[in-house]
Amino acid sequence: MTYSDDESLDSLKYRLLSPTPSPTDWGHEYVRHLASEIGIAFNKRTVDDPEKPTDDLLNLAKQLIPFLLSHNAEPDAVDLLSELDSIALLPDYVDELTWERVVAYVVACVPLLTQDDDRDFLICARTIYKKYGKLVEAMTLSIRLDNMEFIEHDFAHAKEE
């Protein structure tokens, strides 16, 4: 798996054909390689044939995200969901052990993204902050997003606590 041929995507091909339920049983290096191939395949499908479904890739990614997060590979998990245009799913996967590193990485990525993607990342980070009771940080991101609905919501919830 150290040699990567972007055209073949053999690991992904055989993973999708495999009857075994868990791709994480093969270890960290396999999971990281598979995540890479998922991103490449998703980009190919969306460019070559936008009508072709990508649900199989997203479902496989959803199996990899908990593994990556539990093995201190938060950037890999964030990058995978970002490549699949599914960063909004990230708050469902973070827990009390991973959320701080995840949100720090998500916020650090914002200056490197396009305008639409940066908003999605900020909304994702705001959701994680709210999930873990960090209302000041959530309010900061709401202000940064310049979203009055978010600001009013955050302010109203801060009064209650």
Side-chain angles (χ1 to χ4, degrees), residues 12 34-46 54-65 76-89 117 121:
L12 177 61
L34 199 54
S36 171
E37 288 192 5
I38 289 171
I40 293 166
F42 182 83
N43 288 331
K44 279 184 179 182
R45 284 189 193 178
T46 55
T54 57
D55 295 342
D56 57 341
L57 299 176
L58 184 59
N59 289 334
L60 182 55
K62 287 179 181 179
Q63 293 176 34
L64 302 182
I65 298 299
D76 294 333
V78 172
D79 292 347
L80 177 57
L81 286 175
S82 176
E83 286 185 61
L84 299 177
D85 297 327
S86 300
I87 198 67
L89 298 176
D117 287 341
F121 269 59

Side-chain angles (χ1 to χ4, degrees), residues 65 68-69 73-88 90 94 98-99 101-107 109 113 121 124 128:
I65 298 299
L68 291 168
L69 290 174
E74 293 86 359
D76 294 333
V78 172
D79 292 347
L80 177 57
L81 286 175
S82 176
E83 286 185 61
L84 299 177
D85 297 327
S86 300
I87 198 67
L90 186 59
V94 297
T98 60
W99 76 268
R101 290 188 303 270
V102 169
V103 80
Y105 183 73
V106 168
V107 172
C109 288
L113 300 169
F121 269 59
C124 174
I128 294 171

